[in-house]
Amino acid sequence: MAVDYTVIVVYLAGMLAMGWWGMRRAKSKSEFLVAGRRLGPAMYSGTMAAIVLGGASTIGGVGLGYKYGLSGAWMVFTIGLGILALSVFFSARIARLKVYTVSEMLDLRYGGRAGIISGVVMWAYTLMLAVTSTIAYATIFDVLFDLNRTVAIILGGAIVVAYSTLGGMWSITLTDMVQFVVKTIGVLLLLLPIAVVKAGGFSEMKAKLPTSYFDPLGIGGETIFTYVLIYTFGMLIGQDIWQRVFTARSDTTAKWGGTVAGTYCLVYAIAGAVIGTAAKVLYPNLGSADDAFATIVKADLPVGVRGLVLAAALAAVMSTSSGALIACATVANNDIWSRLRGAVRRDGEEHDEVKGNRVFILIMGVGVICTAIALNNVVEALTVAYNLLVGGLLVPILGGLLWKRGTAQGALASVVVGGAAVIGLMATFGILANEPVYYGLLSSLAAYVIVSLATKPTDAAVLAAWRERLAGRTPELASEPAPAHQ
């Protein structure tokens, strides 16, 4: 294992070095939070793919393939569909807004009255996303170094917090590009073909497994529909995803670069399912499907390659974890803390805000690590996060982009009713039930439409300013929310 250890240690040291390099570039708020809005197509595509393909997509995707066969690709496939939909239909407009958070977009669209409540919901989502990504370090470091769970979480989490705090989005962007390359080589170019060959090829796999393993819909129509609701729609509105859109150099980069990233996700989804199916042939009696990735890596890969593939898994977890962490800190600072203390920022103060955002990343990072140590059920935590996000924020965000009759009152009602419905239904039916997101989303939509139609239309001046921003004809604002119009 010495060669494998060396590969991993070099990789981790490289992540820290890029964090240090990114610190030298992040001299303003824009540089720190959105990489100066300067990413070109290649870097944008790589970093967008890196953030959405995390530990759940890699280790979990292989686990679903082990359990269900090729239809296990659907979870990651719906993530790819979400990125494609976001890129083709919305990303150009989002990029032209020149904001930092989803809540700032809601303030611009509805007149400055929707931000803090939506900020709290978005903060809860990004926090739980960061926590679940951090928990995944325990699995990988257990395979690598036989560390206990708490030490593994602290080690992996501390590295991500360190480079994220140092250079913000520039550090995260640079590390994500490396992680994208490592994932592509480790999972697609090495683990996938080796796993298929070890399993005897597709003909041998078909001979040894039930036909349901090769049914594209074998996982079940209801499960696929739930994945679409949670992951496809979740990709459309998450702060972690939007913050990457904000880094694009132009709206064209956001559209076409994101389309490439979404297509990559579809390929990655199929690869994970095939690897899991091969693992089922090789190791049919594993205690847990989620052990399939680690088992096939440890048992079937040669020295050196094994280290690179484990580095790929580590890269997958780190990219999602760092993206969720900076999103969580951005929302906490810009959408919640700054509003609660009534801070007013001006353009000339942007350089002073780097320190504040850096402090928030450090604070949120420590909180994420402590929560990850205390929390055991990753699936439940992630389900709560996505249920709140989709049930509480999908309707007012997409409604604001697509329906000019939507009002601030309708948006607030939608967030409150949808969020409360999701929480109440999770308490009634259970966290992992499908009903909370189904009925929460319907409740949110009903509240948005009814209240919007029952209240005065949004001020014409607000809508005019909104259209100007969507068209990209106004300069970037400082981070203060738009003033409320009476």
Side-chain angles (χ1 to χ4, degrees), residues 34-93:
V34 290
R37 308 189 195 275
R38 291 191 294 175
L39 299 193
M43 188 166 281
Y44 178 86
S45 298
T47 56
M48 179 61 85
I51 188 177
V52 297
L53 295 174
S57 299
T58 303
I59 299 171
V62 171
L64 287 172
Y66 183 89
K67 188 174 182 180
Y68 297 105
L70 298 186
S71 66
W74 273 107
M75 184 187 77
V76 183
F77 205 83
T78 55
I79 290 173
L81 292 178
I83 295 300
L84 284 172
L86 174 72
S87 301
V88 172
F89 298 113
F90 301 109
S91 63
R93 284 183 282 177

Side-chain angles (χ1 to χ4, degrees), residues 1 16 18-19 32-33 46-47 107 138 141 179 205 217 317 360 364 393 457:
M1 290 291 288
L16 292 173
M18 289 192 176
F32 191 82
L33 293 182
T47 56
D107 279 346
F141 280 107
Q179 289 158 357
M205 290 161 64
L217 303 179
V317 176
F360 263 86
M364 291 297 112
L393 290 179

Side-chain angles (χ1 to χ4, degrees), residues 32-323:
F32 191 82
L33 293 182
V34 290
R37 308 189 195 275
R38 291 191 294 175
L39 299 193
M43 188 166 281
Y44 178 86
S45 298
T47 56
M48 179 61 85
I51 188 177
V52 297
L53 295 174
S57 299
T58 303
I59 299 171
V62 171
L64 287 172
Y66 183 89
K67 188 174 182 180
Y68 297 105
L70 298 186
S71 66
W74 273 107
M75 184 187 77
V76 183
F77 205 83
T78 55
I79 290 173
L81 292 178
I83 295 300
L84 284 172
L86 174 72
S87 301
V88 172
F89 298 113
F90 301 109
S91 63
R93 284 183 282 177
I94 293 169
R96 287 195 293 265
L97 289 173
K98 304 294 184 186
V99 294
Y100 292 103
T101 68
V102 174
S103 294
E104 286 181 48
M105 167 263 169
L106 292 174
D107 279 346
L108 284 169
R109 168 59 181 82
Y110 295 112
R113 284 172 282 185
I116 193 164
I117 295 177
S118 63
V120 170
V121 175
M122 188 64 77
W123 175 80
Y125 156 73
T126 53
L127 177 70
M128 296 313 298
L129 185 61
V131 166
T132 54
S133 300
T134 303
I135 291 173
Y137 295 129
T139 301
I140 298 170
F141 280 107
D142 176 55
V143 175
L144 287 172
F145 306 118
D146 196 27
L147 295 177
N148 73 53
R149 181 179 183 275
T150 299
V151 174
I153 288 172
I154 292 173
L155 176 59
I159 293 171
V160 170
V161 171
Y163 73 69
S164 300
T165 302
L166 285 172
M169 187 59 83
W170 265 125
S171 294
I172 292 170
T173 296
L174 294 169
T175 54
D176 276 0
M177 275 307 297
V178 174
Q179 289 158 357
F180 171 74
V181 172
V182 170
K183 277 192 287 193
T184 301
I185 295 173
V187 175
L188 297 185
L189 301 184
L190 292 176
L191 182 57
L192 174 61
I194 290 172
V196 172
V197 170
K198 289 278 187 178
F202 284 101
S203 58
E204 187 71 13
M205 290 161 64
K206 286 185 177 181
K208 290 187 175 181
L209 295 174
T211 55
S212 62
Y213 267 71
F214 301 91
D215 179 0
L217 303 179
I219 199 169
E222 184 178 357
T223 299
I224 295 170
F225 180 66
T226 303
Y227 284 158
V228 170
L229 276 186
I230 293 177
Y231 296 114
T232 301
F233 286 129
M235 292 300 107
L236 296 179
I237 59 174
Q239 170 68 25
D240 52 323
I241 308 302
W242 277 41
Q243 200 155 342
R244 293 310 170 100
V245 176
F246 300 152
T247 66
R249 184 168 62 200
S250 65
D251 53 3
T252 303
T253 296
K255 181 175 182 178
W256 295 110
T259 301
V260 171
T263 304
Y264 179 91
C265 292
L266 303 183
V267 174
Y268 200 88
I270 296 170
V274 171
I275 292 167
T277 304
K280 183 67 175 179
V281 172
L282 294 167
Y283 309 100
N285 300 311
L286 292 179
S288 169
D290 285 339
D291 293 336
F293 180 90
T295 301
I296 198 168
V297 168
K298 288 180 73 173
D300 293 290
L301 298 186
V303 172
V305 172
R306 181 171 50 207
L308 185 59
V309 173
L310 287 171
L314 197 57
V317 176
M318 282 187 160
S319 57
T320 299
S321 180
S322 60

Side-chain angles (χ1 to χ4, degrees), residues 109-110 403-414 444-458:
R109 168 59 181 82
Y110 295 112
W403 190 41
K404 67 178 182 180
R405 185 61 181 83
T407 66
Q409 294 87 344
L412 286 171
S414 179
S444 179
L445 177 61
Y448 182 70
V449 172
I450 292 170
V451 175
S452 290
L453 292 176
T455 53
K456 184 180 177 181
T458 304

